[in-house]
Amino acid sequence: MAAKRSVVLSGRRIALADDQPTFWDRVAADRWEPGTRRLLDALVDASTLFVDLGAWVGPTTLQAAARGAAVVAVEADPAALDQLGRNLAANPQLAARVTVVPKAIHPSAGTVTFGARRKPGDSMSSLLLAGSADTTWQAEAVTPAALAALLPEAPRRVVKIDLEGAEYALLPATSPLLAHEDVSVIASFHPRVLSESGEADIAGATQRALAAFTGWRAHRVTEAGAAAEGEDAAGIDAVAHDEWLFVRP
């Protein structure tokens, strides 16, 4: 696949063949999730299996692969999958490290419905928008247990969860993915999307989701990376701050 542009991730120039020039301009200007990208540089190397739940067109998948990690990229948006495939084809050395799972991660197997406010591929499609969006589609689901059974062995596992609100229902079912001696989770919370879906008890839904990390330490993700000082995961305010690094003690 012929590249349209390129960007430097983790010191390596990555070819791009997708339809997201404005997004990659933000990456190049260090205006797209700089803390997440610095966190990946700190956590991910050739000893890591990086599980990218909500891979979109591949910004974190490509960065982790550039760091030498094996990557399992899970994405259910067909437009995003097409663009992710083009970006991987433009970087064959990185693509050799990436396994794409074209499904929706979900607590239950079967078929689920997504919605998009604007159009598929815009990075903000969500299971929570299925009842209110003009554009919807269905995707096959893969459960955390079924996905865990597909994962290769690695000394370290880093799981990234960015699902535009679906994280609240998913996290209580993620124990199979977290069953590793050395595992960290980068999780983004989307209380606004949850509220727009009709959930009135945002705090309650957040606490139920955080129960997956009972006994873990939580670090706020800032623009500089993860805060050095950890907090008890059960006591954090994920409504006020949307991205956290969870580390098993």
Side-chain angles (χ1 to χ4, degrees), residues 1-3 15 17 62 82-96:
M1 176 61 65
L62 291 166
D82 174 69
Q83 294 175 73
L84 173 61
R86 283 188 265 151
N87 284 338
L88 291 173
N91 298 276
Q93 289 184 321
L94 301 186

Side-chain angles (χ1 to χ4, degrees), residues 32-163:
W32 179 79
E33 299 191 7
T36 301
R37 293 187 293 107
R38 290 175 176 84
L39 190 53
L40 290 182
D41 282 342
L43 292 176
V44 174
D45 59 24
S47 71
T48 307
L49 172 65
F50 182 66
V51 183
D52 197 351
L53 303 182
W56 190 41
V57 301
T60 49
T61 284
L62 291 166
Q63 181 175 346
R67 296 282 302 165
V71 181
V72 174
V74 181
E75 178 56 55
D77 183 325
L81 279 167
D82 174 69
Q83 294 175 73
L84 173 61
R86 283 188 265 151
N87 284 338
L88 291 173
N91 298 276
Q93 289 184 321
L94 301 186
R97 301 186 186 126
V98 179
T99 300
V100 176
V101 178
K103 298 182 180 182
I105 186 73
H106 192 267
S108 303
T111 301
V112 295
T113 303
F114 279 81
R117 292 188 182 92
R118 294 180 295 186
K119 61 181 181 179
D122 68 359
S123 85
M124 294 182 290
S125 60
S126 173
L127 290 168
L128 275 65
L129 298 176
S132 60
D134 293 333
T135 302
T136 62
W137 65 92
Q138 292 188 318
E140 183 182 354
V142 59
T143 66
L147 182 62
L150 301 176
L151 299 182
E153 294 294 328
R156 177 186 305 133
R157 183 180 297 177
V158 175
V159 181
K160 188 219 80 180
I161 302 174
D162 191 352
L163 300 173

